[in-house]
Amino acid sequence: MITVRDLSWQYEPLVDGGKPVDSLKHVSFDIKSGSFVGVIGPTGAGKSTLCMALAGIIPNLADGTMTGLVEVNGMNTSRHSVSALSERIGYVQQDPEAQLFCASVEDEIAFPLENRGIAPDIIDKQIDVMLDLVGMTGYRKRVPASLSGGQMQRVAIAAALAAEPDGLILDEPTAALDPEGKQEVFDVLERIRQTRSMTVIMAEQDTEHIAYWADQVLFMVNGELVRNGDASLFVREKGLLESSGVQVSDGPSPVIKALPVGNDAKPKHAIISLDHVTHRYGQGGNASPALDDVSLDIEQGAFVGLIGRNGSGKTTLAKHLNGLIQPTQGIVNVDGLDVSKHSVGEMAAHVGFVFQNPDHQIFCSSTKEEIAFGPTALGLDAATVFKRVDEMMTLFDLHRYEDVSPATLGYGERRAVALSSVIAMRTPILVLDEPTAGLDHRLASRFLGTVEKLNRHGVTVIIDLRMIAIGTGRASIGRNAVDQHLRARRGAPIVVIDHDDVNRVQCVTFRDIAEHAIEHGRQNDGKGKQPERLRFLPEMQFQIDQQCLQHNVKPFEP
């Protein structure tokens, strides 16, 4: 299916008078038809560049110099256009927003089929099939730009699969998806591969699924192919992988099922308050509210996790906290300010906001200027600004890019720049929308450690929960959140936005979860039978078991 021999690629210099940037160095491997190949490695390893080379974007559409050979189904990528190659192989970029350009979801999926001259009635049926496959039934008429990041990812995957390619290249396709959405992607790929032969090449930071599904694993570091083996690589070379920044999963991630419980306690010093907030999007959205009569209070210094299915309203809620979105109804108070009465610029001194897509907030001509912009705008002196910029560039290994335009960097590096520019402002509130997507485990851990340290010094943190395992405090649980699943360590605060019912948000503490376990045991005549899919991390299980034993109830079975 794919042959790669001595492949090297140099990007054009990032700055005038600079040197070309080596991204791939003498890479060689073969991929058999019908196999599932995982491409792993730390941020900046060259995974995305390799994906572009396999799709023919390199060398046909990118600026740089290629040596070596890449053949896809016998087609030399240097001698065939991307259009011709796309008839054989589909490609989903790391940033789905960058490849969605049509006026509606159905047009996105129809586009590759129309280019191949498929009959309209067949196209119409195929659109429905693809949307059903990726869990987007009912979104056919939606404008892609109105979708959440995870929903865009699903549409991009549907469009790539629509023409039934022989191979599919996916560059971190699950980075913006919730846990169930991730599993759905792999289930979709497996269903297709059971009905016909299709080769899958997937670059991923999350190795849990790669370890399970991959027939072949390519491990890359600094543009070089360091290992080419099978999934046993995760066991045999665990130390090597982890030392480079690749997290090796010890098995499926345990989950907790969020359960509706009552706790009306109101924080004494609420720094964020939402009072009956409803928001409906205008053109391009749908008729249902993105937020529906949401009320909640977050205490000053809290560390709050935000979780929910793609499209459940997480980003919409987050954008209300600094005025990027104003409520259709209701009041949002942040740090003593009515957000509706203050500009986004004014709120920036109170709320540091990291966008889901780093390209939405990067605009300066160099990395150091990007990081310095916020602190400078807050009126800090030059020495303090310099110190904070240096700290951030050290934290994320960005010194080599300090004079480079951040817009020219890879996705992971752009993510790091966006995070740095917000953390450097040291605002009393941090709102982080999927902040670790695109970062390897090493950089993600550094970032989360920095955020945890800021939280210990009183900074209030609201963060996407999928990557956090730190923090203490309260949890907000949607009334009908029983169908939501989430991961958390003991004491980690949780906010769950239920896709079907996002109103009447309640508060819950770890003790409430334990009390529910106790009550469940009593309802089962002391047998403590574990409900379906209800599992806990070991340290949380231990604490719950202790609570149950204190009430003469048999603990949940492990």
Side-chain angles (χ1 to χ4, degrees):
M1 172 68 184
I2 295 177
T3 299
V4 177
R5 291 288 180 272
D6 199 29
L7 171 64
S8 295
W9 172 259
Q10 288 184 323
Y11 284 104
E12 292 294 314
L14 296 176
V15 295
D16 293 338
K19 296 181 180 180
V21 179
D22 290 321
S23 187
L24 296 175
K25 305 171 187 176
H26 307 291
V27 175
S28 298
F29 59 86
D30 295 297
I31 294 176
K32 295 180 180 179
S33 179
S35 59
F36 193 119
V37 181
V39 184
I40 63 173
T43 300
K47 302 185 297 297
S48 295
T49 303
L50 178 62
C51 288
M52 289 191 287
L54 298 180
I57 294 172
I58 288 175
N60 294 299
L61 300 178
D63 294 328
T65 303
M66 173 179 153
T67 58
L69 170 72
V70 178
E71 284 189 351
V72 177
N73 267 6
M75 301 171 68
N76 188 324
T77 58
S78 297
R79 299 174 183 172
H80 291 82
S81 67
V82 174
S83 176
L85 291 166
S86 69
E87 295 182 9
R88 302 292 184 87
I89 196 156
Y91 172 57
V92 177
Q93 297 181 32
Q94 191 172 29
D95 175 14
E97 190 173 352
Q99 72 183 91
L100 301 180
F101 57 89
C102 293
S104 68
V105 168
E106 65 179 353
D107 289 342
E108 287 287 353
I109 299 172
F111 184 79
L113 301 174
E114 291 170 341
N115 283 338
R116 288 161 176 73
I118 306 298
D121 59 327
I122 296 177
I123 292 177
D124 192 62
K125 293 178 181 178
Q126 186 72 341
I127 291 171
D128 287 334
V129 170
M130 289 298 104
L131 290 177
D132 181 61
L133 266 178
V134 298
M136 290 290 287
T137 301
Y139 289 82
R140 184 167 175 152
K141 300 295 183 180
R142 288 284 294 275
V143 176
S146 73
L147 302 176
S148 71
Q151 290 171 329
M152 289 184 187
Q153 194 77 273
R154 292 168 185 248
V155 172
I157 293 171
L161 288 170
E164 300 184 346
D166 298 324
L168 182 64
I169 300 168
L170 303 131
D171 190 359
E172 299 202 28
T174 66
L177 299 181
D178 57 73
E180 291 181 358
K182 288 184 179 183
Q183 186 59 51
E184 287 170 5
V185 168
F186 286 91
D187 290 344
V188 165
L189 295 176
E190 182 61 17
R191 286 200 298 271
I192 293 173
R193 295 175 73 228
Q194 286 178 351
T195 58
R196 65 181 181 86
S197 177
M198 184 177 72
T199 305
V200 176
I201 301 100
M202 180 182 292
E204 265 290 4
Q205 294 287 358
D206 184 353
T207 62
E208 176 186 326
H209 291 90
I210 295 295
Y212 181 80
W213 291 100
D215 306 306
Q216 182 178 353
V217 178
L218 306 177
F219 172 45
M220 301 187 67
V221 178
N222 294 327
E224 298 182 15
L225 181 58
V226 178
R227 294 287 188 274
N228 179 2
D230 57 22
S232 66
L233 184 71
F234 291 102
V235 178
R236 291 185 291 102
E237 302 280 8
K238 181 177 180 180
L240 175 64
L241 296 177
E242 292 184 335
S243 66
S244 72
V246 176
Q247 184 176 20
V248 178
S249 172
D250 292 325
S253 298
V255 295
I256 301 170
K257 183 179 248 187
L259 299 165
V261 294
N263 187 339
D264 296 326
K266 187 179 179 70
K268 294 180 180 179
H269 305 286
I271 195 170
I272 296 173
S273 295
L274 276 68
D275 185 16
H276 298 287
V277 171
T278 295
H279 183 82
R280 287 181 171 84
Y281 285 101
Q283 187 175 4
N286 56 19
S288 61
L291 293 178
D292 189 9
D293 195 27
V294 173
S295 296
L296 63 85
D297 298 286
I298 296 175
E299 192 165 9
Q300 184 175 357
F303 196 118
V304 178
L306 184 64
I307 194 168
R309 293 300 308 268
N310 294 127
S312 61
K314 302 186 301 295
T315 297
T316 301
L317 174 63
K319 286 184 176 180
H320 276 77
L321 303 183
N322 71 339
L324 283 168
I325 292 178
Q326 295 293 341
T328 306
Q329 296 175 341
I331 299 173
V332 178
N333 278 292
V334 175
D335 204 13
L337 303 175
D338 183 340
V339 176
S340 66
K341 298 179 181 178
H342 297 271
S343 67
V344 175
E346 291 172 327
M347 294 305 302
H350 303 266
V351 181
F353 190 97
V354 175
F355 284 78
Q356 192 174 43
N357 185 337
D359 296 335
H360 290 173
Q361 66 188 96
I362 289 174
F363 58 89
C364 290
S365 58
S366 73
T367 295
K368 64 182 178 183
E369 290 174 347
E370 188 74 48
I371 300 172
F373 182 86
T376 302
L378 293 178
L380 300 180
D381 61 86
T384 301
V385 172
F386 178 84
K387 180 180 179 182
R388 292 189 182 181
V389 171
D390 184 68
E391 289 174 350
M392 290 299 101
M393 288 196 294
T394 299
L395 178 69
F396 289 106
D397 296 337
L398 293 171
H399 276 291
R400 54 184 166 160
Y401 303 124
E402 63 180 36
D403 294 318
V404 175
S405 169
T408 66
L409 301 179
Y411 186 84
E413 287 85 1
R414 299 200 306 276
R415 169 70 70 184
V417 172
L419 293 170
S420 298
S421 66
V422 173
I423 294 176
M425 295 174 68
R426 302 290 196 271
T427 53
I429 301 169
L430 276 177
V431 180
L432 309 167
D433 192 359
E434 299 186 14
T436 56
L439 298 183
D440 60 46
H441 180 63
R442 174 177 51 90
L443 291 180
S445 296
R446 286 188 195 176
F447 163 70
L448 291 173
T450 299
V451 171
E452 183 184 23
K453 182 178 179 181
L454 291 172
N455 178 249
R456 288 200 303 266
H457 286 82
V459 175
T460 304
V461 178
I462 295 91
I463 187 173
D464 184 304
L465 190 65
R466 273 177 283 161
M467 285 295 291
I468 87 168
I470 52 178
T472 57
R474 287 136 70 80
S476 297
I477 303 291
R479 185 183 63 183
N480 288 336
V482 68
D483 292 326
Q484 299 296 341
H485 295 78
L486 53 113
R487 290 184 292 169
R489 294 193 183 275
R490 180 175 55 85
I494 305 155
V495 172
V496 177
I497 300 180
D498 192 297
H499 186 68
D500 299 316
D501 187 354
V502 296
N503 61 347
R504 300 190 185 180
V505 175
Q506 298 173 324
C507 292
V508 62
T509 63
F510 172 75
R511 179 178 295 277
D512 293 319
I513 298 176
E515 288 176 352
H516 176 84
I518 295 164
E519 183 60 29
H520 177 84
R522 286 174 175 159
Q523 290 173 359
N524 286 275
D525 299 324
K527 296 178 182 179
K529 183 180 179 182
Q530 190 166 344
E532 183 182 3
R533 299 188 70 182
L534 180 59
R535 294 187 294 157
F536 298 91
L537 286 171
E539 57 266 51
M540 179 173 272
Q541 182 71 63
F542 174 78
Q543 295 290 332
I544 291 175
D545 288 349
Q546 295 303 304
Q547 292 281 342
C548 289
L549 291 171
Q550 289 176 16
H551 290 79
N552 297 317
V553 174
K554 183 179 178 181
F556 283 176
E557 298 171 1

